[in-house]
């Protein structure tokens, strides 16, 4: 399993058996721990490993968001974020040719024109977006494809990695 960008644990299963005499990583680590007489390496099955992982608290930072954080006013903004095409994993993020394409451009905050107008952003070139205690300053664009009250802001980028979840409450303010 792994902990995704929103702090949720996501399990998965192997699609095929390992070739030849190769062994899963947990079995290799268990055997090495046994050889070095280390404690905590006494697993005999993957179920025990999964159980221990599920008992552990993942380190996903100090931020915690609930749907109730959005408030009940119609003035609330809601982040809508995707993971950009070439930000999915470390191999893609370190690939110079992929990062030199337009698909890897720096993120831009996109808002519906009416939302931008109600926030007084029309004359601003950059905005400050805030989720929880984290904020980032970015350029913005009006985009009629975005729902009113929505803020389209990619996640999993260098600029936005410290913000909260890809879908959650957010604030936007104009920068001078």
């Amino acid at each position: 399993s792994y902990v995704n960008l929103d702090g949720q644990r996501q399990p998965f299963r192997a699609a095929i058996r390992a070739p030849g005499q190769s062994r899963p990583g947990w079995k290799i680590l268990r055997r090495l721990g046994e050889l070095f007489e280390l404690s905590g390496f006494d697993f005999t099955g993957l179920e025990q490993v999964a159980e221990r992982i599920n008992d552990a608290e993942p380190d996903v930072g100090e931020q915690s968001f609930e749907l109730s954080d959005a408030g009940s006013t119609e003035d609330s903004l809601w982040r809508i974020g995707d993971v950009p095409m070439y930000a999915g994993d470390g191999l893609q993020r370190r690939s110079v040719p992929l990062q030199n394409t337009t698909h890897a451009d720096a993120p831009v905050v996109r808002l519906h024109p009416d939302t931008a107008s109600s926030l007084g952003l029309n004359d601003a070139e950059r905005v400050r977006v805030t989720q929880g205690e984290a904020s980032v300053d970015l350029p913005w664009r009006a985009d009629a494809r975005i729902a009113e009250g929505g803020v389209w802001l990619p996640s999993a980028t260098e600029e936005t990695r410290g913000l909260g979840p890809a879908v959650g409450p957010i604030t936007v303010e104009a920068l001078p």
Side-chain angles (χ1 to χ4, degrees), residues 44-176:
T44 57
L46 188 55
E47 299 78 25
Q48 292 171 317
V49 175
E51 191 174 297
R52 180 74 62 90
I53 289 172
N54 288 336
D55 290 343
E57 282 291 320
D59 181 13
V60 295
E62 296 296 320
Q63 299 175 0
S64 174
F65 295 93
E66 300 292 332
L67 289 177
S68 62
D69 289 346
S72 59
T73 68
E74 292 186 21
D75 296 335
S76 297
L77 296 177
W78 201 257
R79 180 179 181 187
I80 308 162
D82 65 341
V83 175
M85 182 185 301
Y86 297 135
D89 63 31
L91 185 61
Q92 293 172 325
R93 289 189 301 271
R94 288 188 289 274
S95 170
V96 174
L98 293 179
Q99 295 305 315
N100 285 333
T101 68
T102 58
H103 297 293
D105 286 345
V108 173
V109 178
R110 296 180 185 274
L111 301 117
H112 189 277
D114 293 341
T115 303
S117 180
S118 71
L119 294 171
L121 304 181
N122 295 335
D123 294 330
E125 292 183 22
R126 296 177 65 82
V127 294
R128 174 167 293 142
V129 293
T130 304
Q131 276 188 298
E133 299 296 318
S135 63
V136 64
D137 300 345
L138 295 167
W140 77 277
R141 288 196 187 108
D143 188 335
R145 298 173 297 173
I146 308 303
E148 287 187 46
V151 178
W152 186 269
L153 180 60
S155 56
T157 69
E158 181 67 26
E159 297 86 353
T160 62
R161 69 179 182 199
L163 294 174
V167 178
I170 193 167
T171 61
V172 177
E173 61 183 302
L175 290 175

